[in-house]
Amino acid sequence: MHGIRNIANRIKRVPANIGFAFCQERCGVKTIASRMGPSTPTKELSSELVSQLGKPPRMREDPAFKKVDSPEFHGIFTPEVDSLVSLFKQYDYELRIAGGAVRDIIMGIKPKDIDFATTATPDQMKEMFTKENVRMINAKGEKHGTITPRINGKENFEVTTLRIDVRTDGRHADVVFTTDWQLDANRRDLTINSMFLGFDGTVYDYFYGYDDLQQRRVVFVGDADIRIKEDYLRILRYFRFYGRIAKDTQSHDATTLAAIKDNAEGLARISGERIWSELQKIIVGNYGPELVLEMHRCNLIQHCGLPVEPNLKEFQRLCDALDKFEKPHYPILYMTGLLHSLDEAMMMHERLKLSALERDLALFITQQRDRVDTEYTTLRDYQKLCLQPYAKRDYVEQLLKYTNNVELYNQLKAWQTPSFPLNGNMLKDYGLSGKNLGAGLSMLRLMWADSDFQLTSEQLLEKIPHVLVKLQSTSSTQAPNKKKRTE
């Protein structure tokens, strides 16, 4: 590929104290592509870019030090995986399993997804798949080295060219393709995610990720500060994997936490959607409440849509309460416990771009939680709340969980909502229409609930004159306020 020789020569001339991996003559760098722009070949790799790799991490002399022979490993070999492996072997490109699937297999967990890494460049893969009439999908991944073939018309696999991340901005990076597995492992976030697995069961572990996994230790590859600055989302990934891997809540690496705290403001540069995706997994995972408190101590919370001084006392009460109810719980339910007010719920939504359900549930809980045990005390109160146009039954059930009302929660869960005997069309002939229709229906539903849901449609229709009077009275008292606002 264009520029290979010039790049390799420049890498050999880089001083030994800058970017250990680039100084190896076997590095096999091929081309540079950008996630911040179109892929382009290059002839230049400055010392500044090379230095971003940081100091050499602790390295294993023989990375191919172990073989696995477990049901989880043998279970990955579907006909589609076999076809993919055969194809790369036929074209003489190396292919290995990468990242999370390797970690899961070593832990005795069946991987949900399998990602692959290869020495083939995206262009070489496209040429190979085209020649073999293999359909490729999701062309967006190509700019950072990922090609997604659909094998046998049944299964999609993400196959990514080995690469080095340079010139990062905390969210994206320019990538240099390479044929060196060690260089690719070095640019990954955590040691436990930096291993590869061959199809003969050989584990390739350059930075003692296997040992860290056995000790349930979560640390970055090499310099934590540099790894975090490459992508600030790695801060939250650290906490997510800590919950999955660690044996207790107090085994954090002090140097890692210090680097996280120093880079806390970098999270402000990450999109709300990406932050919320990670937060959801953290908060409902192992040690979720403890990890949130640790994140607060690291000054991360205010960059995740939460107040600088979160409602920690209420959050701890909520976490204790939710332990009494069957899991799983909505992640947003936990998050709401950290809020003091309705305004903070809206600020959280604006930062994290919550779904409509998550947004409305957070608003509902912050609006209604102080009315529990004062305005709402009986099952009938919660049944009537379920009938309100601004409430959904699910929201009311979540409110009971939030406020630790186990008995009322179980009673409401067991309650079968009866069918309301009226509809809007039936009311039009009785003078209820337009703006009054919704309010009138709500009033009739509450009357129906107060009768223990026994009133018939005829009996409810007889109450419409009373409803109209009440609506007219309400409208007349609100009119001056409206006029005043207009003035």
Side-chain angles (χ1 to χ4, degrees):
M1 190 171 294
H2 182 64
I4 297 176
R5 185 172 300 171
N6 286 347
I7 294 171
N9 289 337
R10 282 188 172 272
I11 289 170
K12 291 177 188 179
R13 292 198 296 270
V14 171
N17 63 339
I18 300 178
F20 84 101
F22 278 104
C23 303
Q24 300 176 51
E25 296 187 12
R26 62 185 180 85
C27 67
V29 173
K30 293 185 174 179
T31 186
I32 186 167
S34 173
R35 279 184 264 174
M36 296 180 276
S39 299
T40 54
T42 183
K43 296 182 180 181
E44 300 292 333
L45 271 180
S46 68
S47 297
E48 177 192 359
L49 296 185
V50 173
S51 68
Q52 291 184 38
L53 283 181
K55 65 181 181 182
R58 191 168 59 112
M59 289 176 54
R60 193 187 292 278
E61 255 184 60
D62 179 15
F65 79 108
K66 184 178 179 62
K67 283 198 173 185
V68 294
D69 185 19
S70 65
E72 292 77 21
F73 169 64
H74 293 291
I76 68 171
F77 289 97
T78 63
E80 286 66 47
V81 169
D82 289 338
S83 296
L84 185 73
V85 173
S86 296
L87 189 57
F88 275 80
K89 191 173 183 179
Q90 176 186 335
Y91 281 80
D92 200 27
Y93 299 129
E94 287 186 86
L95 183 73
R96 296 176 189 170
I97 301 166
V102 183
R103 181 193 64 241
D104 288 346
I105 289 170
I106 291 172
M107 292 181 69
I109 300 170
K110 181 180 178 181
K112 293 180 181 178
D113 301 298
I114 303 174
D115 292 329
F116 298 90
T118 181
T119 54
T121 66
D123 287 341
Q124 288 170 333
M125 284 192 277
K126 286 194 296 182
E127 182 181 356
M128 174 179 69
F129 290 133
T130 301
K131 192 177 294 185
E132 299 295 330
N133 296 315
V134 175
R135 179 185 165 205
M136 289 167 279
I137 62 174
N138 189 22
K140 291 181 180 179
E142 184 182 339
K143 62 184 176 182
H144 52 84
T146 301
I147 301 294
T148 307
R150 184 166 181 81
I151 303 299
N152 299 340
K154 293 182 179 179
E155 197 168 359
N156 305 331
F157 296 112
E158 289 191 355
V159 187
T160 302
T161 303
L162 300 181
R163 67 178 194 254
I164 309 154
D165 291 345
V166 295
R167 196 185 288 113
T168 60
D169 64 0
R171 292 182 299 171
H172 311 95
D174 289 345
V175 298
V176 178
F177 299 138
T178 179
T179 56
D180 191 311
W181 294 89
Q182 177 189 304
L183 296 187
D184 187 272
N186 186 53
R187 58 102 185 163
R188 295 176 182 263
D189 53 3
L190 305 170
T191 60
I192 57 174
N193 294 334
S194 68
M195 296 178 283
F196 301 102
L197 183 61
F199 299 100
D200 61 350
T202 300
V203 176
Y204 297 89
D205 174 26
Y206 297 91
F207 308 121
Y208 292 90
Y210 182 89
D211 301 63
D212 289 335
L213 199 55
Q214 301 306 309
Q215 296 168 22
R216 297 295 187 260
R217 184 169 177 259
V218 183
V219 290
F220 286 96
V221 174
D223 190 320
D225 182 73
I226 289 176
R227 292 288 85 79
I228 290 169
K229 281 183 167 67
E230 290 169 347
D231 182 355
Y232 290 107
L233 191 68
R234 287 174 170 177
I235 290 173
L236 298 184
R237 281 175 58 83
Y238 166 81
F239 286 103
R240 172 158 66 90
F241 281 106
Y242 187 95
R244 290 183 61 179
I245 302 298
K247 56 189 175 184
D248 56 54
T249 62
Q250 302 298 320
S251 297
H252 294 281
D253 176 69
T255 304
T256 298
L257 287 184
I260 286 172
K261 191 171 184 178
D262 288 344
N263 287 282
E265 291 185 0
L267 279 180
R269 303 170 66 180
I270 303 298
S271 72
E273 294 91 338
R274 293 180 76 199
I275 286 177
W276 181 226
S277 176
E278 292 293 334
L279 273 180
Q280 292 181 73
K281 298 167 188 172
I282 292 168
I283 207 160
V284 298
N286 295 332
Y287 322 127
E290 293 84 359
L291 290 175
V292 169
L293 295 176
E294 189 64 58
M295 289 168 61
H296 173 56
R297 288 189 284 270
C298 290
N299 301 329
L300 305 177
I301 293 296
Q302 58 265 41
H303 304 297
C304 300
L306 293 163
V308 176
E309 295 297 335
N311 197 344
L312 296 180
K313 185 176 179 181
E314 175 69 358
F315 177 69
Q316 193 58 63
R317 181 209 62 77
L318 171 62
C319 293
D320 293 340
L322 291 180
D323 282 341
K324 300 176 184 176
F325 295 86
E326 184 180 356
K327 294 181 178 180
H329 304 303
Y330 289 133
I332 195 64
L333 194 60
Y334 287 98
M335 297 287 284
T336 306
L338 291 161
L339 308 174
H340 298 93
S341 67
L342 194 63
D343 286 342
E344 289 180 352
M346 280 307 300
M347 287 174 60
M348 177 176 68
H349 164 59
E350 289 167 5
R351 174 68 177 108
L352 300 181
K353 305 297 186 290
L354 304 173
S355 69
L357 183 148
E358 292 163 342
R359 176 201 63 207
D360 292 348
L361 180 56
L363 294 173
F364 181 80
I365 295 291
T366 51
Q367 284 177 316
Q368 303 295 331
R369 59 187 175 187
D370 291 337
R371 299 177 182 177
V372 173
D373 296 332
T374 54
E375 295 179 39
Y376 309 138
T377 59
T378 67
L379 176 62
R380 180 56 45 79
D381 293 330
Y382 291 101
Q383 290 172 335
K384 290 168 71 173
L385 187 56
C386 290
L387 302 177
Q388 295 290 352
Y390 56 81
K392 293 182 179 180
R393 176 167 174 162
D394 186 28
Y395 295 174
V396 180
E397 291 174 0
Q398 298 304 315
L399 178 64
L400 286 167
K401 288 165 65 173
Y402 183 97
T403 53
N404 197 23
N405 279 282
V406 179
E407 185 176 350
L408 282 171
Y409 171 80
N410 290 331
Q411 290 175 2
L412 187 64
K413 286 290 283 185
W415 176 56
Q416 301 252 338
T417 309
S419 178
F420 185 56
L422 297 180
N423 59 52
N425 290 329
M426 297 170 67
L427 301 182
K428 289 180 181 178
D429 295 335
Y430 289 82
L432 272 175
S433 60
K435 295 180 180 179
N436 285 336
L437 182 59
L441 272 172
S442 294
M443 292 174 66
L444 289 167
R445 282 195 183 95
L446 295 179
M447 294 175 182
W448 175 59
D450 284 334
S451 73
D452 197 22
F453 308 99
Q454 296 303 308
L455 287 177
T456 64
S457 57
E458 292 79 10
Q459 292 170 319
L460 286 168
L461 291 172
E462 290 174 1
K463 295 185 177 294
I464 289 181
H466 171 70
V467 170
L468 288 170
V469 170
K470 197 165 183 179
L471 286 172
Q472 191 172 17
S473 173
T474 304
S475 178
S476 63
T477 57
Q478 290 178 346
N481 293 332
K482 182 178 180 182
K483 184 178 180 182
K484 188 175 181 180
R485 286 196 303 271
T486 304
E487 292 173 351

